[in-house]
Amino acid sequence: MKLYEIGEFGLIKKISRTPKRKEVFVGIGDDAAVIKVGEEFILYTTDMMVEGDHFRTEWHPPEKIGRKAMASNISDIAAMGGMPEYALVSIALRSDMEVEFVESLYKGMYDVADRYGVDIIGGDTTHGSLMVINVAVTGRTDKGHLTLRSGAKTGDYILVSAPLGGSRAGLELLKRGYKEPKAPIEKHLDPGCRMDIARDVALFASAMIDVSDGLASEVRHICEESGIGAIIERERIPLDRETMKAGKILDMDPYDFALHGGEDYELLFTVPEENLNKVRRYGTVVGRIVDKDMGVRIENGEIMDLKGGYEHFIE
Ligand code: ADP
Ligand code: MG
């Protein structure tokens, strides 16, 4: 069987085992693993970027590659309602690379790490025929802030923290040699993360996930882990003007960027009706959680299954 037949998530299911240590509160299947230590929850996450696939040195300055590598990991800690603490950074480098390139890469990582109080405390360095950067980040949270993918309930509202699709729009522009509109290109190169609101949202959200693989995929993850269904209203998905402009220039549907693109590193969260007013300022309602037997659907005049999203080995 080939990997493209089962995809990234099919593969992860195959290789997953139930953890043996009793302190593992959440293993594989959320944005970060959760280990219960006394009254606290320690969070562990890791994300890898491969040259040519996740970034291209022709258009991605080293400092921004570093920023994105660090931010994408901190984003997973944010999605758990956690505070990030430590990072381990492993890099494979080509021997003919400039030392200054690697220094800039680290400047980017340190800048983002410093902003969120993260120390880089170790890692590994090796050579390779392609550059690979792997960052692992640990964090910490408490019961009140811990927000899993599995907590959504029927009737909850589904919100996203900001307009989506910018990163994918930027990638498509770069692939075709466009230098404008600038905002989506910048969103792709330096997406940041939503630590600024995550802890506040976490107090009221029933479930949360970061948007790394597109809205469609993230909604399905929440539904799968929570054992419920969802209906997304396509016209409520927020898109900014520059992303819509990119869609026009490229003759592509900007809603597809939001639904199936990914790498926006915004937050998608669910809240019970009674908490909606407390989180309205942090996001836009895009749909509701429904019973499992109603499926995971999108309404766009007609109602259809919510398919797609970025998945390694398949696209
Ligand atoms: P995210 O997009 O939040 O980084 P992923 O979709 O990459 O999460 O991963 C989904 C889940 O599978 C996470 O809990 C992650 O830790 C786990 N996972 C991914 N790849 C592996 C692997 N090779 N071995 C074990 N667990 C993995
Ligand atoms: Mg994530």
Side-chain angles (χ1 to χ4, degrees):
M1 191 195 286
K2 304 283 186 197
L3 287 176
Y4 60 71
E5 293 175 57
I6 57 168
E8 175 191 357
F9 300 115
L11 179 68
I12 294 171
K13 273 210 184 90
K14 267 189 190 298
I15 60 176
S16 299
R17 289 194 191 171
T18 309
K20 295 199 174 63
R21 300 180 70 101
K22 66 174 184 347
E23 60 272 25
V24 180
F25 192 71
V26 180
I28 293 173
D30 215 308
D31 293 289
V34 185
I35 310 300
K36 190 162 192 304
V37 180
E39 290 305 300
E40 280 195 307
F41 297 89
I42 309 298
L43 307 168
Y44 294 83
T45 188
T46 183
D47 252 312
M48 187 154 48
M49 289 170 57
V50 180
E51 179 177 18
D53 185 12
H54 298 88
F55 62 89
R56 291 204 205 160
T57 50
E58 312 96 90
W59 67 52
H60 216 147
E63 197 173 321
K64 293 197 170 162
I65 297 172
R67 291 179 63 85
K68 188 167 178 173
M70 186 58 69
S72 65
N73 277 274
I74 295 177
S75 176
D76 276 325
I77 299 291
M80 306 300 294
M83 293 293 288
E85 291 185 324
Y86 303 108
L88 298 169
V89 178
S90 300
I91 43 174
L93 301 168
R94 290 179 273 106
S95 315
D96 61 357
M97 287 175 68
E98 300 290 336
V99 172
E100 290 73 17
F101 182 101
V102 186
E103 285 176 325
S104 294
L105 182 85
Y106 267 78
K107 178 177 185 307
M109 280 195 280
Y110 276 120
D111 282 349
V112 174
D114 286 347
R115 174 153 177 213
Y116 298 109
V118 172
D119 275 321
I120 298 177
I121 54 161
D124 192 27
T125 303
T126 186
H127 66 276
S129 48
L130 280 177
M131 194 190 338
V132 179
I133 304 163
N134 182 80
V135 178
V137 171
T138 70
R140 181 184 300 261
T141 194
D142 53 75
K143 197 159 181 280
H145 287 91
L146 179 66
T147 314
L148 307 179
R149 293 180 181 179
S150 56
K153 301 263 185 317
T154 300
D156 287 357
Y157 285 87
I158 307 170
L159 292 89
V160 293
S161 56
L164 299 179
S167 178
R168 184 53 174 265
L171 174 62
E172 297 298 336
L173 289 165
L174 286 165
K175 277 193 197 160
R176 289 164 182 75
Y178 290 99
K179 302 231 162 18
E180 286 182 353
K182 286 204 166 32
I185 291 175
E186 194 52 26
K187 182 75 177 170
H188 178 70
L189 297 178
D190 192 2
C193 66
R194 297 311 306 271
M195 254 335 286
D196 58 328
I197 61 164
R199 297 271 295 173
D200 293 338
V201 171
L203 287 174
F204 304 107
S206 50
M208 186 151 65
I209 186 168
D210 68 331
V211 183
S212 55
D213 298 328
L215 177 68
S217 170
E218 314 309 354
V219 170
R220 286 203 313 275
H221 285 315
I222 294 246
C223 289
E224 193 164 312
E225 294 297 323
S226 297
I228 39 81
I231 296 189
I232 298 296
E233 287 178 60
R234 196 174 195 262
E235 65 193 34
R236 286 188 180 236
I237 298 172
L239 300 170
D240 64 31
R241 203 183 301 157
E242 304 272 273
T243 299
M244 292 200 275
K245 197 166 154 193
K248 278 218 175 75
I249 293 168
L250 296 161
D251 195 21
M252 295 170 94
D253 183 351
Y255 285 99
D256 282 343
F257 299 149
L259 282 162
H260 313 303
E263 292 201 315
D264 286 313
Y265 297 108
E266 292 296 336
L267 296 171
L268 183 142
F269 50 98
T270 60
V271 290
E273 188 159 16
E274 65 270 22
N275 285 349
L276 185 58
N277 278 337
K278 297 186 181 112
V279 298
R280 260 190 203 282
R281 69 195 153 115
Y282 302 119
T284 307
V285 173
V286 295
R288 292 294 285 269
I289 298 293
V290 295
D291 288 339
K292 188 182 169 77
D293 57 10
M294 294 181 74
V296 187
R297 306 288 193 87
I298 183 159
E299 182 170 2
N300 177 32
E302 52 186 327
I303 294 189
M304 53 184 91
D305 286 343
L306 180 60
K307 294 209 175 94
Y310 186 82
E311 184 164 357
H312 291 290
F313 311 126
I314 288 183
E315 286 192 33

